[in-house]
Amino acid sequence: PRARGRIVRLLVGGREHATTRETLSVVPDSFLARLVDDENPFPSTRDESGRFFIDRDGDVFGLVLDWLRTAGESVPRHCPDVLRRLKLDADFYGLDALANACDANLEALERKKPKTPVVVRVVQAAPGLNGRALSPESSAKKPRRASTEPLSPREFLQDDF
């Protein structure tokens, strides 16, 4: 039996979703549109409750549905990991415009990223050492320079304080 009613229930990655045939049909010829198309039956799997079963990420599918419901206006802009996962599923579902929007947002995030990581180390002098830094391994170790003096490259790269 095909999805004849207006409401369609889906089980995606263990999460249940409910939407309308119209929402799933927003992008003609996509996997989701073909899933609910009575005229061109598409092989599908249903669970014992009659829900369409799709073996994909259920959380990401929620984002796919949001995008379909908002006519392409809802695409995350802040998290590269989510965008990459969403793009993979957009490709799977045949939603080229969503995949392209994910690519565009990923590129925009890349442009905003700092080119060179900045590393800052704070060295504090222990009281009573006349401005010298104390190494935690041993007080017998050669004292470091006073905390107001710059560290040499060798000292900076040591990870022992």
Side-chain angles (χ1 to χ4, degrees):
R2 302 303 298 165
R4 296 197 192 286
R6 186 176 187 310
I7 295 175
V8 179
R9 298 197 185 287
L10 306 103
L11 185 63
V12 184
R15 280 196 56 201
E16 183 172 8
H17 296 272
T19 190
T20 63
R21 293 169 57 91
E22 291 79 17
T23 297
L24 294 176
S25 300
V26 165
V27 179
D29 295 324
S30 69
F31 172 91
L32 298 170
R34 290 182 292 152
L35 195 65
V36 295
D37 184 357
D38 287 333
E39 293 180 21
N40 298 304
F42 183 71
S44 62
T45 303
R46 294 197 182 225
D47 70 1
E48 61 280 352
S49 300
R51 299 174 293 190
F52 287 104
F53 176 79
I54 303 173
D55 194 16
R56 302 297 290 185
D57 186 315
D59 294 328
V60 172
F61 188 72
L63 298 172
V64 170
L65 283 179
D66 285 345
W67 183 81
L68 291 169
R69 289 173 180 142
T70 61
E73 294 298 317
S74 174
V75 180
R77 291 187 164 89
H78 61 284
C79 182
D81 292 334
V82 171
L83 282 169
R84 285 185 197 96
R85 291 172 43 211
L86 182 56
K87 182 190 180 328
L88 285 173
D89 278 16
D91 287 336
F92 174 82
Y93 295 121
L95 304 172
D96 296 337
L98 176 55
N100 292 339
C102 290
D103 282 337
N105 286 351
L106 281 166
E107 289 172 15
L109 287 172
E110 278 297 314
R111 285 191 301 270
K112 288 181 182 179
K113 246 181 22 177
K115 301 296 183 226
T116 308
V118 177
V119 178
V120 177
R121 289 218 171 163
V122 177
V123 179
Q124 293 179 325
L129 293 176
N130 298 325
R132 295 177 300 169
L134 178 65
S135 171
E137 287 103 24
S138 164
S139 59
K141 188 174 179 179
K142 178 183 168 196
R144 296 188 183 272
R145 299 175 195 214
S147 61
T148 56
E149 295 177 4
L151 295 173
S152 71
R154 182 185 61 78
E155 290 172 317
F156 180 77
L157 295 175
Q158 287 179 342
D159 201 16
D160 62 351
F161 56 113

